Amino acid sequence: MKSKLKIGVLGAGHLGKIHLKLLSQSQRYELMGFYDPDREQAQKVVEEFGYTYYDNIDQLIQAVEVVDIVTPTLSHYECAMKAIEANRHLFIEKPITSTVEEAEKIFHLLEKKHLKGQVGHVERFNPAFLSAKHSIENPMFIEAHRLAEFNPRGTDVSVVLDLMIHDIDVLLSVVQSPVKHIEASGVAVISKSPDITNARIEFENGCVANLTASRISMKNMRKSRFFQKDAYISVDFLERKVEVVRMKDAPKEPNEYDIVLQNAEGERKQIYFEYPEVLPSNAILNELETFADAIENDTTPIVTLLQGTEALRLAKRIVAKIEENFKSFH
């Protein structure tokens, strides 16, 4: 039996508590405890769940091999630097940091020290996306809608960094091409910064992505659609469902239930539907445990710090474009 990796969590807010619960049940990690500067909040967590509280961040980092950063984004950089200076592996929630410069510094220092790092872009571990991923080949048009009901908890960052960044990361994982052009706009309805935004991203290989994110929707929705030659793949990240619609040359004698289309040139195609099985799994536990695999087997984590940095870089370019358009209207 492999010995478990000792891990500590920084931050015991909403998501921090989820990480603590999953790590305490994990077969791969030994949860040493957590640190949160809000002692009152920390005390409540100790009373409710019995986790060990370290009242000093450095003591927690010294006690572990892996540091799991689930603090507000503004403090990610400072926490990460402390962990790397102590030669600790690093799991860091998305977005990786507040600025691209900070992300690059973390990435380069981690490389130099030969430590492992992973960013918590959890949708890559969503069972629906895992089930659809092998069907997505060279998509040329992608449409994503990520709509959430209003929650004051997320408004400290732009809706692009809070919600759209999930789809940006998924997008960059399936389109292997540099970004050529961005158009984006947004409207502030409740917050000081835009609450609903749309971005159109063109890639050098000709792929176009249209992303919409809103945090003032009446209902939650997280859907992406990938269009490619002879196929269309729909992924519902919320309901965890996948639909693949494929086209192939129609048989000479189709039966009455076959769906056959004919174009102007007289070519006949048959449409057929696939519903790949979506295996139930906990995406957060999955991302944390695959990170344990990367550390123990010395392999590349599934979502690297470089990928987390690139997602942030594109998100920042979108935010800049929105602000540019925002100012010209006001």
Side-chain angles (χ1 to χ4, degrees), residues 140 171-172 175-184 200-209 310 313-314 317-318 321:
M140 294 316 283
L171 176 66
L172 294 177
V175 181
Q176 306 301 319
S177 175
V179 173
K180 182 172 142 188
H181 184 71
I182 298 168
E183 283 302 328
R200 180 186 158 92
I201 302 151
E202 292 174 28
F203 292 88
E204 283 180 7
N205 69 351
C207 177
V208 173
E310 290 310 315
R313 191 189 309 278
L314 181 49
R317 286 176 66 185
I318 292 168
K321 202 66 162 165

Side-chain angles (χ1 to χ4, degrees), residues 259-277:
I259 305 172
V260 176
L261 298 178
Q262 185 168 333
N263 66 13
E265 286 75 42
E267 292 173 337
R268 299 171 77 226
K269 294 274 188 188
Q270 180 184 346
I271 295 176
Y272 63 107
F273 297 86
E274 292 169 13
Y275 299 94
E277 186 185 5

Side-chain angles (χ1 to χ4, degrees), residues 16 21 26 59 76 83 120 159 161 190 196 239 249 252 283 287 308:
K21 181 183 172 191
S26 168
Q59 280 174 351
H76 282 188
V159 68
L161 291 170
I190 298 176
I196 179 161
E239 299 293 334
D249 292 333
K252 289 258 188 302
E287 68 178 348

Side-chain angles (χ1 to χ4, degrees), residues 161-312:
L161 291 170
D162 185 30
L163 296 177
M164 191 185 278
I165 194 150
H166 284 292
D167 297 308
I168 291 170
D169 171 68
V170 166
L171 176 66
L172 294 177
S173 79
V174 298
V175 181
Q176 306 301 319
S177 175
V179 173
K180 182 172 142 188
H181 184 71
I182 298 168
E183 283 302 328
S185 56
V187 181
V189 181
I190 298 176
S191 322
K192 297 272 192 289
S193 64
D195 293 302
I196 179 161
T197 59
N198 174 265
R200 180 186 158 92
I201 302 151
E202 292 174 28
F203 292 88
E204 283 180 7
N205 69 351
C207 177
V208 173
N210 195 2
L211 310 182
T212 301
S214 163
R215 55 180 169 208
I216 48 163
S217 177
M218 299 313 275
K219 63 177 199 306
N220 292 324
M221 177 181 178
R222 308 203 309 251
K223 273 186 184 166
S224 294
R225 290 177 293 190
F226 304 85
F227 297 85
Q228 59 201 41
K229 188 170 167 45
D230 292 339
Y232 147 74
I233 297 116
S234 164
V235 180
D236 188 328
F237 289 90
L238 190 62
E239 299 293 334
R240 303 192 160 187
K241 289 180 184 155
V242 179
E243 182 179 63
V244 182
V245 182
R246 293 192 189 277
M247 288 171 75
K248 60 180 180 185
D249 292 333
K252 289 258 188 302
E253 303 289 328
N255 73 40
E256 57 180 315
Y257 300 111
D258 289 345
I259 305 172
V260 176
L261 298 178
Q262 185 168 333
N263 66 13
E265 286 75 42
E267 292 173 337
R268 299 171 77 226
K269 294 274 188 188
Q270 180 184 346
I271 295 176
Y272 63 107
F273 297 86
E274 292 169 13
Y275 299 94
E277 186 185 5
V278 177
L279 298 168
S281 69
N282 184 307
I284 296 176
L285 183 60
N286 196 349
E287 68 178 348
L288 289 162
E289 294 199 332
T290 61
F291 185 49
D293 292 337
I295 294 168
E296 286 176 348
N297 305 323
D298 193 21
T299 51
T300 305
I302 291 175
V303 184
T304 63
L305 293 196
L306 181 61
Q307 290 171 332
T309 303
E310 290 310 315
L312 178 66

Side-chain angles (χ1 to χ4, degrees), residues 78-128:
E78 190 191 340
C79 294
M81 290 309 264
K82 278 183 187 286
I84 298 168
E85 278 158 20
N87 293 313
R88 300 302 184 246
H89 301 294
L90 192 63
F91 185 95
I92 187 166
E93 255 315 316
K94 65 89 203 155
I96 177 170
T97 45
S98 301
T99 70
V100 174
E101 297 73 47
E102 289 176 345
E104 285 176 337
K105 277 186 194 161
I106 291 173
F107 164 68
H108 290 306
L109 189 58
L110 204 81
E111 290 270 282
K112 200 167 112 185
K113 292 206 167 198
H114 302 294
L115 295 165
K116 298 286 179 195
Q118 179 163 321
V119 184
H121 282 291
V122 70
E123 290 293 38
R124 281 238 240 137
F125 297 84
N126 184 303

